[in-house]
């Protein structure tokens, strides 16, 4: 439980770093002469300890040979350095890969010439889609073998997220050519239906089989976030909206859902759905809108807020307060795309020196840092452009100026 980019979502309260103050006791020694005490010079002040800037990382390149571009979704990483994603070659072909912690594996296709991977679990099982010999995209499940999950009676399907026990969610075409959200239980694909419209899409799933996404209402006049529980098999639950449309982007194992809704003016408002209620996460003064992209096990949400002047700033919501996470050097852009169990948030910001996008991380104890400055022996020609995905063990997938990379915290 992810890359638009690292801070694409709601601003959250910033935690101040603890400052340590050292005091020195100066001693005076008595002297001769008139019996007046002579003050001894104070010893040099001890240097202040360096500010905590978070962990240092080791860097490993990711992706398949010939890569010129790569992408990993927020759900495309698991503990142990397991990563699933997509490589683009020079001709523009997409190839799904799985990095097993040591080696990049080409997942192939289902007979066609394209594939993409979007989600991996801690067992190394992968979900995504690949083209068939007829050129139609079909959702797949990979566990050492690429398995075609079929469709809902139509031509195509797209796997998007996977549970810890290998259940896959996404969307598929039915016999009428309409895209419907699906839940694949390992044996068959369940049509999750809609709210009376033609389409629905499953975007996230937790370990117990609760699914979050969005579905259209009658006449496709609106769409609302939904929650589905595979344990009961009941119809999808309409989570409502704060005013108009709504969309769910992530869910944790407690069944808390985050996403965004549109207000009466059409601007986005970040929400968290919890215990049957849709909560507006609020806005900083003068902000125009916000969106939540990811939620951790504690219910903390990450995303971004935006302003009338075009500024965008990453945020963190700690369950009570929304706090902006700032930007590198006070520039006009930062984004948050993923948050882990420890409250680490990753994304990107504009570097004030180069005016280029740089991958960032925000930690409770140290604030926002440029990940380019936190990598041990980063190759001189490599620039970390954006953080895309984050595991609970602290590993981070980054997009670079030449492909993809994996950062692992140094011990």
């Amino acid at each position: 439980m992810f890359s638009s980019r690292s801070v694409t979502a709601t601003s959250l309260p910033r935690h101040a770093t603890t400052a340590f103050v050292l005091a020195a006791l100066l001693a005076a020694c008595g002297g001769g002469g008139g019996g007046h005490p002579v003050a001894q010079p104070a010893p040099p002040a001890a240097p202040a300890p360096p500010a905590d800037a978070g962990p240092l990382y080791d860097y490993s390149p990711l992706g398949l040979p010939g890569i010129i571009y790569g992408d990993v979704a927020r759900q495309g990483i698991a503990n142990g350095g397991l990563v699933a994603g997509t490589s683009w070659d020079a001709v523009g072909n997409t190839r799904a890969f799985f990095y097993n912690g040591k080696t990049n594996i080409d997942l192939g296709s289902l007979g066609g010439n394209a594939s993409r991977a979007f989600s991996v679990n801690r067992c190394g099982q992968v979900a995504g889609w690949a083209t068939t010999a007829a050129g139609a995209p079909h959702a797949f499940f990979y566990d050492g073998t690429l398995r075609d999950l079929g469709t809902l009676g139509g031509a195509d399907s797209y796997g998007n997220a996977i549970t810890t026990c290998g259940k896959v969610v996404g969307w598929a075409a039915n016999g009428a050519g309409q895209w419907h959200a699906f839940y694949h239980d390992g044996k068959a694909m369940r049509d999750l239906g809609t709210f009376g419209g033609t389409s629905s899409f499953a975007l996230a799933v937790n370990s117990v089989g609760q699914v979050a996404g969005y579905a259209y209402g009658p006449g496709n006049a609106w769409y609302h976030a939904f929650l589905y529980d595979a344990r009961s098999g009941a119809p999808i639950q309409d989570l409502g909206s704060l005013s108009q449309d709504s969309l769910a982007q992530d869910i944790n194992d407690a069944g808390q859902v985050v996403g965004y809704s549109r207000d009466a003016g059409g601007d986005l408002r970040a929400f968290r759905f919890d215990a049957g209620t849709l909560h507006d996460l609020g806005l900083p003064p003068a902000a125009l809108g916000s969106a939540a992209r990811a939620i951790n096990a504690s219910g903390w949400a990450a995303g971004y807020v935006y302003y009338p002047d075009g500024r965008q700033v990453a945020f963190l919501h700690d369950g009570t307060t929304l706090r902006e996470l700032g930007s590198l050097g006070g520039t006009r852009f930062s984004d948050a795309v993923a948050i882990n169990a420890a409250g680490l948030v990753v994304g990107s910001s504009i570097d004030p020196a180069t005016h280029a996008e740089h991958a960032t991380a925000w930690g409770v104890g140290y604030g926002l840092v440029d990940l380019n400055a936190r990598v041990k022996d980063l190759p001189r020609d490599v620039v970390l452009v954006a953080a895309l995905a984050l595991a609970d063990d602290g590993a981070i997938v980054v997009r670079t100026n030449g492909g993809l990379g994996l950062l692992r915290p140094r011990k």
Side-chain angles (χ1 to χ4, degrees):
M1 305 318 55
F2 325 178
S3 42
S4 259
R5 297 180 198 172
S6 321
V7 281
T8 307
T10 345
S11 302
L12 191 48
R14 185 181 299 229
H15 302 266
T17 305
T18 307
F20 295 94
V21 180
L22 302 177
L25 183 61
L26 304 180
C29 298
H36 300 289
V38 178
Q40 299 300 306
D52 179 10
L56 289 172
Y57 296 88
D58 291 315
Y59 170 83
S60 302
L62 289 178
L64 299 173
I67 181 176
I68 61 168
Y69 182 79
D71 190 40
V72 172
R74 187 189 68 251
Q75 307 103 317
I77 189 171
N79 286 351
L82 306 181
V83 179
T86 307
S87 291
W88 274 256
D89 64 20
V91 185
N93 295 317
T94 59
R95 300 162 65 193
F97 72 85
F98 168 53
Y99 182 75
N100 64 9
K102 296 180 180 179
T103 305
N104 289 296
I105 301 169
D106 189 337
L107 300 190
S109 72
L110 296 170
N113 59 6
S115 58
R116 295 197 62 182
F118 292 94
S119 184
V120 64
N121 64 19
R122 63 192 182 197
C123 300
Q125 298 167 329
V126 181
W129 60 261
T131 53
T132 65
H138 276 200
F140 72 70
F141 168 78
Y142 173 85
D143 61 353
T145 301
L146 202 67
R147 305 175 189 276
D148 188 338
L149 298 185
T151 73
L152 292 171
D156 49 5
S157 60
Y158 301 85
N160 192 60
I162 192 168
T163 70
T164 52
C165 54
K167 309 301 189 289
V168 177
V169 301
W171 55 92
N174 61 16
Q178 302 170 343
W179 280 337
H180 282 197
F182 73 78
Y183 176 88
H184 197 289
D185 63 6
K187 297 180 180 179
M189 185 178 285
R190 302 183 197 174
D191 187 337
L192 301 191
T194 72
F195 294 132
T198 61
S199 302
S200 59
F201 303 89
L203 303 185
V205 62
N206 66 15
S207 65
V208 299
Q210 292 176 300
V211 183
Y214 68 104
Y216 282 84
N220 293 338
W222 50 266
Y223 57 87
H224 281 181
F226 75 72
L227 178 63
Y228 171 77
D229 195 327
R231 296 170 297 183
S232 69
I236 56 175
Q237 176 185 354
D238 188 341
L239 302 189
S241 72
L242 299 174
S243 180
Q244 299 186 44
D245 300 328
S246 64
L247 182 151
Q249 301 212 82
D250 199 12
I251 185 171
N252 64 15
D253 282 352
Q256 297 172 312
V257 177
V258 295
Y260 63 78
S261 180
R262 292 191 181 274
D263 63 21
D267 283 301
L268 307 183
R269 296 297 294 267
F271 73 75
R272 183 181 67 239
F273 177 84
D274 186 12
T277 302
L278 201 68
H279 302 275
D280 187 336
L281 296 187
L283 291 174
L288 189 60
S290 61
R293 288 184 169 157
I295 187 170
N296 71 3
S298 299
W300 290 20
Y304 64 94
V305 297
Y306 60 93
Y307 287 82
D309 64 0
R311 286 185 300 126
Q312 177 180 309
V313 185
F315 80 73
L316 172 67
H317 192 285
D318 63 4
T320 303
T321 306
L322 184 145
R323 176 179 303 173
E324 293 189 353
L325 303 185
S327 61
L328 296 176
T331 53
R332 292 172 55 84
F333 171 82
S334 66
D335 191 18
V337 297
I339 181 171
N340 72 3
L344 178 67
V345 178
V346 298
S348 62
S349 182
I350 298 299
D351 172 51
T354 63
H355 307 292
E357 189 177 5
H358 278 193
T360 58
W362 182 94
V364 172
Y366 49 88
L368 190 71
V369 295
D370 186 335
L371 286 172
N372 287 274
R374 304 303 302 162
V375 178
K376 180 71 172 175
D377 300 325
L378 182 69
R380 293 186 61 182
D381 59 343
V382 173
V383 178
L384 311 183
V385 176
L388 305 177
L390 169 66
D392 281 341
D393 64 7
I396 304 169
V397 176
V398 291
R399 178 174 292 127
T400 77
N401 57 333
L404 295 169
L406 176 65
L407 306 184
R408 299 192 200 190
R410 295 175 66 87
K411 297 181 180 179

